[in-house]
Amino acid sequence: MAVSGDGVSWLLLNASPDLRQQVIATPALHPRWGARDTPIAGVVLTNADVDHIAGLLSLRERQSFTLFGSAAILDVLERNAVFAVLDRDLVKRSPVQVAASFEPVVGLTVELFPVPGKVPLFLETETVEIGTETEMTIGLDLRSEARRVVYVPGCAFVTPSLLARVSGADVLVFDGTTYADDEMVRLGLSPKTAERMGHIAIGGPGGSMAALADAKVRRKVYTHINNTNPVLVAGSPERVVVEAAGWEIAFDGMEIEL
């Protein structure tokens, strides 16, 4: 996801492995002038999972930008030598305190807040604590003038504090990894439930659709959707239920203007 307060400088929200393809498909992110120019002024990370940091390696071509994240998330990159390809003379790493607002690009303020989650898969040990609120899994509260977007691409469950946080947002972009908690297990694709992966499923009495049913939000959009999730199929029973509940399904190239 990329956001901007002025349409000139852009902030990436995480950097997925297919970032190069996403940039090519998005003219607003294309170089404008000069060698190594980029409209991408910064990247803010919400966790250190591979699907949120691998795309940083596609930004190693000596472009200047700032990398934002909690101290815990940036420390994961610090301890992995492969990310040293991001030239420190050009790519500044800027730790941001949770609950502190900062202005990463012109016209846009961002606040980090903790959400229930877990450590990245590659840092898991035999015992994995799921659902704790630490600086390892965060959400973003983005504001530009009188508009507000809350971005939570990874979340283990919805807490009262999270429900209060999203209240009043113009747009909520939320974790839609699976529709059912045992979805990948039933399909024989993984031994892990959504909960075990640190994600809340969409459906069911304990799912995010029910938990966020009363959220005072103008628009609700599911993102971070696994390819097993039937909501990706237009007209599927699950898609019909989700849309009837007032949710939209994010898609590549989707644009939201506020």
Side-chain angles (χ1 to χ4, degrees), residues 131-197:
T132 56
E133 293 187 11
T134 69
E135 291 190 5
M136 195 62 81
T137 305
I138 60 174
L140 305 177
D141 196 322
L142 306 105
R143 300 171 188 253
S144 181
E145 297 181 348
R147 303 302 184 186
R148 179 169 167 250
V149 175
V150 177
Y151 177 67
V152 185
C155 182
F157 53 85
V158 177
T159 62
S161 61
L162 179 56
L163 190 60
R165 164 69 68 169
V166 306
S167 180
D170 293 284
V171 181
L172 168 63
V173 183
F174 195 79
D175 183 353
T177 304
T178 67
Y179 187 83
D181 185 57
D182 65 345
E183 185 174 299
M184 297 183 70
V185 177
R186 283 189 291 104
L187 293 172
L189 299 175
S190 173
K192 297 179 181 179
T193 63
E195 180 182 8
R196 171 60 183 80
M197 294 187 294

Side-chain angles (χ1 to χ4, degrees), residues 209-210 212-213 220 222 238-248:
M209 190 165 51
L212 295 166
K220 295 181 287 187
Y222 277 123
E238 295 83 359
R239 176 76 165 255
V240 171
V241 170
V242 167
E243 291 179 338
W247 284 86
E248 301 172 54

Side-chain angles (χ1 to χ4, degrees), residues 84-233:
V85 298
L86 296 171
D87 190 334
R88 288 183 178 272
D89 290 335
L90 295 169
V91 181
K92 178 184 177 183
R93 299 188 185 187
S94 181
V96 180
Q97 290 186 345
V98 170
S101 294
F102 66 106
E103 187 173 346
V105 294
V106 175
L108 184 69
T109 59
V110 179
E111 180 183 344
L112 278 58
F113 61 92
V115 297
K118 68 174 185 64
V119 298
L121 175 62
F122 60 88
L123 292 181
E124 288 186 5
T125 59
E126 290 185 4
T127 302
V128 181
E129 192 170 359
I130 298 172
T132 56
E133 293 187 11
T134 69
E135 291 190 5
M136 195 62 81
T137 305
I138 60 174
L140 305 177
D141 196 322
L142 306 105
R143 300 171 188 253
S144 181
E145 297 181 348
R147 303 302 184 186
R148 179 169 167 250
V149 175
V150 177
Y151 177 67
V152 185
C155 182
F157 53 85
V158 177
T159 62
S161 61
L162 179 56
L163 190 60
R165 164 69 68 169
V166 306
S167 180
D170 293 284
V171 181
L172 168 63
V173 183
F174 195 79
D175 183 353
T177 304
T178 67
Y179 187 83
D181 185 57
D182 65 345
E183 185 174 299
M184 297 183 70
V185 177
R186 283 189 291 104
L187 293 172
L189 299 175
S190 173
K192 297 179 181 179
T193 63
E195 180 182 8
R196 171 60 183 80
M197 294 187 294
H199 297 283
I200 183 173
I202 292 175
S208 61
M209 190 165 51
L212 295 166
D214 296 326
K216 303 298 188 294
V217 180
R218 285 177 53 195
R219 293 179 67 177
K220 295 181 287 187
V221 182
Y222 277 123
T223 190
H224 198 278
I225 303 169
N226 195 61
N227 58 10
T228 59
N229 194 327
V231 300
L232 290 173
V233 181

